[in-house]
Amino acid sequence: MADPLHDLHNDIRKLADRAITIGEAELEARFVWGSYSSEGVRFGFFRVLEELDMLEAVLNAGSERVSQARAILAGYHEAYRDLEALVWGLDDEAASTSPGGEEWDVRTTYAHILGADFGFFVVTRFALDLHRAGEWSPDHKIKDGDYDRILETDETRYLELMDSPLSILRREHRLFHDRVLAALSDITDVELDLPSKYWEAETHPLRFRLGRFASHMRQHTIQIEKTLPATGRPLNETSLLVRRILNRLAGIENVGRTPDPAAVQPARDALRAVFAAISP
């Protein structure tokens, strides 16, 4: 059976791929929705956002209480979708273009984000597993072998990945992001207050570790946003619209419920109408 959210995601990706190729002038293309016909196709983008908002409201109305861990990780997922939208369509050559001065290029910043996600996952998983086994102690240090075991990799493969082009980094990040959500969403409210030890002199609760995924990603998403103009991809109206659509998708996904296909159809219809309006 088809997954309605998977179909919705595919429609969004199709629109995003097309939208980032057009300029702001093309948003003036004629678009008609009922009595609305004077604002061009940009109105269609906002119709998409309206339908996504309504779909999220429908899903939230029937949802059960979300654990604190899932709520924190929802912020991480929103940050991930925002980063995904920001670099959508950016090719490897542009991502490696130096912005000048001491600023990192986009590829380097993205590799740093992914490397940090690896580290946050290791420290969280390491402490959680020890607590659940009744063996945690602040004297337990994370060793290189623990990184390899938890990440299911080794130093050579890790260093190769960190030196990879943006397209490879994004592919691996997408897979790892899904793994983080699946592996850490079962942390209970009580477990969130359990201590963990990383590089800091002091311990920090697991809730802090989960929160670092989103806050660190947002920090460096802003860094990428600052350096994008140097790649030849300055932010414009269409890229901002795509970014908002991806952010709304995150909100829908974070509800954690599979909707009825009929509930998703209005959003899919709106996406397809906009796609048709901006396609040759």
Side-chain angles (χ1 to χ4, degrees):
M1 182 179 294
D3 180 350
L5 287 185
H6 177 74
D7 295 338
L8 177 68
H9 192 187
N10 284 341
D11 287 340
I12 288 175
R13 295 184 69 86
K14 185 177 179 180
L15 175 61
D17 285 341
R18 173 59 187 155
I20 61 170
T21 69
I22 70 173
E24 294 184 5
E26 291 169 274
L27 291 175
E28 304 296 335
R30 181 169 171 77
F31 184 87
V32 178
W33 184 76
S35 299
Y36 295 84
S37 60
S38 63
E39 297 183 48
V41 74
R42 65 168 48 83
F43 178 82
F45 280 91
F46 290 103
R47 281 291 307 130
V48 169
L49 290 168
E50 290 165 8
E51 292 296 350
L52 293 176
D53 282 343
M54 285 185 269
L55 175 58
E56 184 177 357
V58 168
L59 292 176
N60 272 320
S63 62
E64 299 178 354
R65 177 189 175 275
V66 174
S67 69
Q68 292 182 42
R70 280 189 57 193
I72 295 170
L73 289 172
Y76 169 52
H77 185 56
E78 290 169 0
Y80 172 80
R81 285 290 187 219
D82 192 48
L83 173 62
E84 179 185 35
L86 184 63
V87 298
W88 197 285
L90 189 67
D91 62 45
D92 291 339
E93 181 178 358
S96 296
T97 301
S98 172
E102 297 182 356
E103 286 285 352
W104 292 345
D105 57 52
V106 172
R107 193 216 69 82
T108 301
T109 306
Y110 200 104
H112 175 75
I113 293 171
L114 178 55
D117 270 16
F118 287 154
F120 299 151
F121 182 74
V122 168
V123 67
T124 304
R125 192 77 252 178
F126 182 77
L128 183 64
D129 289 345
L130 286 176
H131 279 297
R132 288 178 173 176
E135 299 173 357
W136 187 85
S137 164
D139 296 327
H140 273 108
K141 307 294 184 183
I142 304 175
K143 301 175 182 178
D144 291 344
D146 296 312
Y147 278 91
D148 294 349
R149 172 178 55 81
I150 294 172
L151 294 177
E152 300 174 359
T153 189
D154 57 48
E155 184 177 8
T156 298
R157 286 186 290 169
Y158 175 85
L159 293 176
E160 287 177 352
L161 175 59
M162 290 297 102
D163 198 39
S164 296
L166 179 66
S167 57
I168 302 300
L169 292 169
R170 288 189 63 199
R171 183 191 69 195
E172 294 302 313
H173 197 192
R174 181 167 59 251
L175 297 172
F176 187 71
H177 169 76
D178 291 343
R179 182 182 172 193
V180 169
L181 296 178
L184 302 181
S185 61
D186 70 338
I187 296 176
T188 67
D189 292 356
V190 172
E191 287 176 326
L192 284 176
D193 291 321
L194 294 173
S196 63
K197 190 74 180 290
Y198 199 16
W199 60 268
E200 311 98 339
E202 67 279 1
T203 62
H204 288 284
L206 290 180
R207 69 172 65 250
F208 170 78
R209 302 302 179 191
L210 290 191
R212 285 296 290 153
F213 282 101
S215 64
H216 181 269
M217 188 176 293
R218 287 167 179 151
Q219 174 185 351
H220 291 287
T221 296
I222 291 172
Q223 182 180 0
I224 290 176
E225 190 168 352
K226 288 169 54 184
T227 56
L228 264 181
T231 70
R233 255 280 302 274
L235 295 177
N236 58 21
E237 189 173 354
T238 50
S239 64
L240 292 172
L241 288 167
V242 167
R243 196 170 176 184
R244 279 159 177 76
I245 288 173
L246 265 291
N247 278 310
R248 297 317 314 129
L249 175 63
I252 290 167
E253 291 169 324
N254 279 333
V255 177
R257 295 181 62 221
T258 300
D260 185 276
V264 177
Q265 198 58 49
R268 296 191 66 194
D269 290 344
L271 284 159
R272 292 175 175 183
V274 174
F275 180 81
I278 62 176
S279 295

